Amino acid sequence: MSEMGMIAIMLLTALLSGTLFRKMGLPSVVGQLVAGVIVGPAVLNWVKPTNHIEFLAEIGVMTLMFIAGLESDLRLLKRYLVPAISVAFFGALLPVGAFYWFGTSVLHESVTMSIFFGIVFAAMSTSITVDVLKEYKRLKTKNGQTILGAAIFDDVFAISLLSVFLVFATKGATTGGHGGSSHGIAVTLMLQVAFFILAFSIIRWVATPVMHWFEKLDFPYSEILGAFIMLFSLASLAELFGLSAIIGTFFSGVAIAETKVAHKVEKASNVVSYTFFIPIFLVSVGLNVKFDSIMDYLPMIIFGTVIAILSKVIGSGFGAKITGYSWLDSAIIGTGTVPRGEFSIVIAQMGLAAGVIDDEAQGMLLIIIILATIIGPLMLRYLFKFDHSNEKHPSKVKA
């Protein structure tokens, strides 16, 4: 089948599955993930991952995080900065420790491979969690903003861990272009800090005059085009500074949210993203599932999935609780960090390319990632039944 045909199937199944799951009272994002499993190599094999599909999916991730930035309240993000860092730190630390134990004691793998397992599951899927929070109108709550802030720092922690790990695991292999030495690691970390300083400078002093200039141009939808120019510029800048591109797209959204064209940009971005790019991304995640030799590893996959879920719920939940959140809020925040996705998949692929893991280990990791990504939103939906906080007036916490 041609790539055009596969894209048509992806969009159709995303629409039908998302609608069906919403009618069942379940998050539509889960339905779209399941659709990817069904139409992908795991079941029907109608759609296969290709370079073009992966590129469109990457754009989907970027636009989703851009919209999340647009809908974020910078004052709330600042307000919950300390809890977000706490949630991200403990939410990354516990999975590393838990999967190190899982790898060495249960799978009897090497120390190197076991540490790598932990790094894979230290990361969370920012974009999928954001989609669930948006669907249930919880993105602007105190819990939603804390999860969102934690997701940004979680990516930074995971990238930093990966940078350090690859230096020692590959004995001098490159780590994102900065060399395989302790000096290279220090440079990478300093560049990451520099990016955040630069991003906040853009939000504070650059975004408003730049978007005003785009708005004044005699060109149809010039401010929308300007917003996308800023999106891809900051995404490129984030990668240049050794960070994930989605961090750059998020901050570009936050920057534009502080301008007077925010509402117009958000409306246009929603139409473009949710009718094409985001469904492609969600379905493409399911395409990575393969059931080859799954029965041989089924007990380990189930055990690994339980660890992947509990390590985030407990780790991130603990990080929220010690900063003053209630037990329910801590459970919601912990559960909100459970879904893994594109970032974990990329890390697993990097491990395979570096020779840290083999094909079988990567296959097992991918299935655990997908299962955690599907189960997490279902758990979050259940917890939302008990949360009656006022979305417009987030309650205060000790921060």
Side-chain angles (χ1 to χ4, degrees):
M1 183 181 296
S2 69
E3 285 188 326
M4 297 301 175
M6 289 192 290
I7 290 173
I9 289 176
M10 293 175 74
L11 292 174
L12 177 61
T13 54
L15 175 63
L16 296 178
S17 60
T19 302
L20 176 62
F21 271 63
R22 285 178 69 93
K23 286 185 178 294
M24 295 167 57
L26 299 172
S28 62
V29 59
V30 178
Q32 294 175 76
L33 291 171
V34 172
V37 176
I38 294 173
V39 301
V43 182
L44 298 176
N45 200 29
W46 289 348
V47 180
K48 300 177 182 178
T50 67
N51 290 335
H52 290 121
I53 288 175
E54 289 176 359
F55 175 74
L56 293 174
E58 184 177 358
I59 300 298
V61 175
M62 294 167 68
T63 56
L64 179 56
M65 290 309 300
F66 175 67
I67 293 170
L70 279 171
E71 295 187 354
S72 295
D73 188 325
L74 189 58
R75 290 173 292 277
L76 287 180
L77 285 174
K78 290 180 179 177
R79 180 178 175 184
Y80 302 121
L81 180 64
V82 172
I85 294 175
S86 178
V87 169
F89 176 75
F90 289 103
L93 183 64
L94 190 57
V96 171
F99 274 94
Y100 173 78
W101 171 83
F102 177 67
T104 55
S105 301
V106 179
L107 299 179
H108 304 293
E109 298 289 357
S110 66
V111 170
T112 299
M113 186 180 291
S114 301
I115 294 175
F116 182 75
F117 287 172
I119 295 174
V120 169
F121 290 98
M124 62 177 280
S125 176
T126 314
S127 48
I128 290 175
T129 298
V130 164
D131 205 24
V132 176
L133 291 172
K134 282 172 55 62
E135 183 172 343
Y136 286 94
K137 295 180 173 59
R138 304 295 178 115
L139 187 60
K140 294 185 179 181
T141 63
K142 70 169 185 183
N143 294 338
Q145 292 296 294
T146 301
I147 292 171
L148 188 56
I152 301 302
F153 290 106
D154 188 280
D155 281 354
V156 174
F157 289 151
I159 290 170
S160 300
L161 285 171
L162 183 64
S163 299
V164 175
F165 171 82
L166 287 179
V167 169
F168 295 101
T170 60
K171 292 183 174 60
T174 182
T175 59
H178 299 294
S181 64
S182 58
H183 174 71
I185 296 170
V187 170
T188 299
L189 296 179
M190 285 190 292
L191 283 173
Q192 292 172 359
V193 172
F195 172 80
F196 284 102
I197 295 173
L198 181 60
F200 281 108
S201 298
I202 291 173
I203 293 170
R204 179 68 179 83
W205 292 294
V206 177
T208 296
V210 167
M211 291 307 299
H212 179 72
W213 180 79
F214 277 119
E215 187 182 21
K216 294 300 181 183
L217 293 177
D218 184 19
F219 191 85
Y221 306 107
S222 58
E223 65 275 21
I224 310 300
L225 184 58
F228 280 103
I229 291 172
M230 184 173 290
L231 183 162
F232 287 105
S233 296
L234 276 177
S236 177
L237 195 63
E239 290 187 323
L240 184 64
F241 278 65
L243 288 165
S244 170
I246 64 174
I247 294 179
T249 61
F250 171 76
F251 278 109
S252 67
V254 172
I256 293 173
E258 298 299 306
T259 70
K260 66 178 183 179
V261 298
H263 178 71
K264 188 181 295 186
V265 171
E266 181 182 343
K267 184 177 180 180
S269 300
N270 278 327
V271 173
V272 172
S273 302
Y274 280 98
T275 57
F276 186 74
F277 291 109
I278 292 175
I280 293 292
F281 157 63
L282 293 172
V283 175
S284 73
V285 174
L287 298 180
N288 290 283
V289 174
K290 296 180 182 178
F291 294 143
D292 299 342
S293 305
I294 188 174
M295 296 309 297
D296 296 337
Y297 301 100
L298 187 58
M300 295 300 98
I301 289 172
I302 294 173
F303 194 14
T305 302
V306 172
I307 294 174
I309 293 171
L310 291 182
S311 62
K312 275 294 188 184
V313 172
I314 296 172
S316 299
F318 175 77
K321 184 60 182 173
I322 63 174
T323 54
Y325 285 79
S326 69
W327 285 108
L328 176 59
D329 288 340
S330 298
I332 289 173
I333 291 169
T335 304
T337 66
V338 166
R340 305 328 198 267
E342 68 288 341
F343 197 17
S344 293
I345 291 171
V346 168
I347 294 175
Q349 291 171 338
M350 290 177 66
L352 181 65
V356 177
I357 59 174
D358 55 23
D359 289 327
E360 290 184 349
Q362 187 204 33
M364 182 179 68
L365 290 177
L366 289 177
I367 293 175
I368 295 174
I369 289 168
I370 298 298
L371 288 176
T373 302
I374 291 173
I375 294 171
L378 297 177
M379 295 172 59
L380 200 57
R381 171 185 174 272
Y382 175 77
L383 288 174
F384 282 157
K385 293 180 179 180
F386 304 98
D387 180 25
H388 305 294
S389 58
N390 191 323
E391 182 176 334
K392 294 184 179 179
H393 302 283
S395 60
K396 295 182 179 180
V397 298
K398 299 173 186 177

